[in-house]
Each structure stands twice: as structure tokens, then as C-alpha cells.
Amino acid sequence: MIVALAFSLVACGESGGDKASGNADSQTIKIAYLPITHSLAVLEEVKELQAEDGIQIELVKYGSWPELLDALNTNRVDGASVLIELAMKSKQEGIGLKAVALGHKDGNVLIVSNDIDKVEDLKGKTFAIPHRQSSHNILLNDALAKGGLTVDDINITELAPTEMPSALASGTIDGYCVAEPFGAMGVSLGAGKVLYSSEELWEDSLCCGLVLTDQFIEEHPDETKQFVEGYKKAGANLNKEKAKEVAKEYLNQTDEVLDISLQWISYDNLDITKETYDTLVEKVKAYGLSDTPPSYEEFVLQ
Ligand code: ZN
């Protein structure tokens, strides 16, 4: 109980400076996020909506996916920018939520130590992913398949994203795949290099999704529409310069790390299409993340 309380205090204390406007009629929507480049579209939307009279966003920052997920699954927030597989798992377990948009397009890399030249060299090595329920796990499986390997040929460890670059530098792990900019950080440190980018392994890959709770969607249908439209517009506005500007404000990363990382990602057209979602579902089943992921109709807000 004490630990849980401490987490929630930290989360509240760290929420961004993004309060509702003085207008008592405006609706505030509480969105959980991690300080990663994959959540920049919602951070940009906060800035854009601040200048408007309607819906306002209160950001709640978390330090890890389990903490963020706990807040989402217990309705302490109205929505989140979250790994889509984690949200699918929550949905499968009966949590009322829907995905309303993608977090980003592409934007993941497999980082390996400098002595690894091809995926076959990973045999018997240790590779880190943030969570079993992640596109990073899927991308690892896709990469191994290219070399005729499976996850049984390597050691997989789950690490917090922030720990991965230093774990690679110290030789504790031999590679990792995780939300950005932590891949770019490994490159910037000289600890490793890019073995594959996500689009080389999985065209139109899905990774993060923007999700809202069913409760918010049902109680605030107009605000939901306004929020989702504003989000997609904010994503479309995120060219490289703007993305870097927002990232510098929220992510506390160096210019070099952001310049490396932002080459790999884009934020335009964040609709979740049935075709790309169905490909994700196939991979989730094939690689053993889940036998019964939710269907497109169940999971994605129509
Ligand atoms: Zn992502």
C-alpha cells in the first residue's frame, strides 16, 4: 500500500504544467504518458489545445509501463499513450478501454553491441525488451526469423527502458529493442549500433496506441471526438523541427540523441487501419504474446 501510494504521489507531482483553462465549462481529460518520443503527438496536442477554449489535457507522467498501466486499468486517468499490446492485453482481461489512434509510425530500432554484425551472431546472447507485451518483442522475433533463429536460441530479459543503454555499455546485455530515444542513446554513447530499423522487419508496424477508457468515451462523446481530431492534427503538424522542440521541452535529452532518434519516426496519419491491426494480431498470436487478442471491432473505436 505504501509503495503504491508513493508511486501515485510521484505521478501526480510530476504532471506537466498543463491545467485546464479558467473556463469552468471546459472539460479536462487526464492522459498518462512516458517521456519518450513515441508519445510526442499527445504532448504536441497539449500545446495546441492550450490556445483554444475547448477541451484541455492534463498530462500525468509515469516512469514505467507497469505504473502507467495500473493507473489506466483503475480509471485514475481517462486515457494513455501506451504500448498497444499492453492495452490489448488489458482489454482481453476485461478492462473497458478503446484505442483511438496510433502513437506514431515506425520509430523503433534493434540495437546490438559493436561486435555483432548479423542477427545470427545473437545466438546464445542476452537481449533486452521492455515487456513481453510489446512490438519490441515482435520485432525481435521478426529479426531472429531472418537468421533462422527463434527466441529459444537467445536469452531474453525484461529491463526498464532507461537501463538499457548502460546495460549494453557495460556488457550485461548484447542488444535491445525499446521505445525511443533509448535506442538512439545507445548509439550516441558508442555502446552499440543499429542492426535493423522497424520498417526493415515489419512494414507499417504498430507500436504505441492512444487509448481512452470506455467510461470517458461514454460520458463525453463530443469531447472524445474533439480530443481525437486534435490529436491527429497535432501528429500531422509534427515535422522534425517541431518534434524536436516538443521533445526538448518534455524529455530531458541531448540534441544529439534527439537528432539520431527523430530520423526514425513519423507522426502523420495516425489512424489505426483494420489491415495493419490484423497483421499485428497475427504476429501477437504467432509469437505467443496472446492466443486471443481482441478483434479490430472490439478494440478500435469506430
Ligand atoms: Zn511506440
Side-chain angles (χ1 to χ4, degrees):
M1 278 300 283
I2 292 168
V3 170
L5 182 62
F7 279 148
S8 66
L9 286 174
V10 167
C12 293
E14 287 180 350
S15 50
D18 27 77
K19 301 293 171 249
S21 71
N23 181 355
D25 293 335
S26 71
Q27 177 68 41
T28 300
I29 176 168
K30 250 179 154 169
I31 299 292
Y33 79 105
L34 257 56
I36 53 180
T37 61
H38 293 194
S39 61
L40 289 186
V42 77
L43 303 179
E44 168 65 15
E45 186 184 10
V46 167
K47 295 172 68 126
E48 295 186 7
L49 291 184
Q50 266 167 352
E52 293 178 16
D53 270 346
I55 191 169
Q56 298 293 317
I57 301 169
E58 181 185 338
L59 291 171
V60 189
K61 181 164 86 173
Y62 288 90
S64 73
W65 293 121
E67 289 168 65
L68 176 145
L69 211 67
D70 187 49
L72 181 66
N73 290 352
T74 55
N75 269 11
R76 297 210 305 278
V77 291
D78 302 311
S81 183
V82 60
L83 297 177
I84 200 162
E85 294 84 356
L86 283 174
M88 289 161 76
K89 195 77 177 174
S90 290
K91 176 78 187 177
Q92 194 185 319
E93 288 168 358
I95 304 291
L97 55 78
K98 292 233 164 36
V100 297
L102 294 175
H104 55 92
K105 306 263 280 292
D106 300 323
N108 284 300
V109 290
L110 257 81
I111 300 288
V112 292
S113 64
N114 292 313
D115 58 345
I116 289 176
D117 293 319
K118 53 189 187 306
V119 70
E120 289 86 342
D121 298 341
L122 282 175
K123 190 164 185 171
K125 305 278 189 183
T126 300
F127 196 95
I129 53 173
H131 199 287
R132 190 165 159 258
Q133 299 299 333
S134 68
S135 290
H136 309 102
N137 187 15
I138 293 175
L139 289 165
L140 171 62
N141 274 270
D142 280 342
L144 291 170
K146 274 187 178 280
L149 303 176
T150 73
V151 288
D152 295 332
D153 294 306
I154 64 167
N155 306 308
I156 296 180
T157 181
E158 288 183 9
L159 277 185
T162 49
E163 292 173 20
M164 293 190 194
S166 56
L168 185 66
S170 69
T172 313
I173 58 173
D174 304 289
Y176 63 91
C177 183
V178 70
E180 282 295 310
F182 300 103
M185 207 184 281
V187 174
S188 171
L189 283 172
K193 61 189 177 188
V194 175
L195 185 65
Y196 289 111
S197 59
S198 46
E199 59 270 32
E200 292 176 283
L201 298 167
W202 173 7
E203 200 186 341
D204 296 327
S205 60
L206 274 62
C207 172
C208 296
L210 182 70
V211 303
L212 293 176
T213 62
D214 284 348
Q215 189 181 334
F216 186 87
I217 294 169
E218 280 156 24
E219 289 177 3
H220 306 285
D222 295 342
E223 288 82 359
T224 295
K225 198 162 171 266
Q226 194 187 337
F227 171 69
V228 175
E229 278 172 8
Y231 175 82
K232 289 178 184 170
K233 198 173 96 195
N237 287 339
L238 273 181
N239 57 27
K240 299 284 178 225
E241 294 74 42
K242 215 163 204 177
K244 187 171 171 186
E245 206 178 287
V246 183
K248 281 187 78 75
E249 189 175 335
Y250 286 93
L251 269 48
N252 193 26
Q253 298 287 346
T254 65
D255 279 17
E256 184 183 85
V257 166
L258 292 176
D259 287 341
I260 296 170
S261 187
L262 292 172
Q263 314 169 64
W264 300 327
I265 194 165
S266 63
Y267 304 92
D268 59 312
N269 194 6
L270 296 177
D271 291 334
I272 306 175
T273 67
K274 181 161 166 52
E275 189 187 359
T276 56
Y277 183 78
D278 286 348
T279 302
L280 169 66
V281 163
E282 279 169 31
K283 287 177 184 283
V284 159
K285 288 182 184 168
Y287 295 141
L289 279 68
S290 169
D291 292 331
T292 51
S295 68
Y296 183 80
E297 291 72 20
E298 289 165 334
F299 183 65
V300 179
L301 185 68
Q302 308 296 310

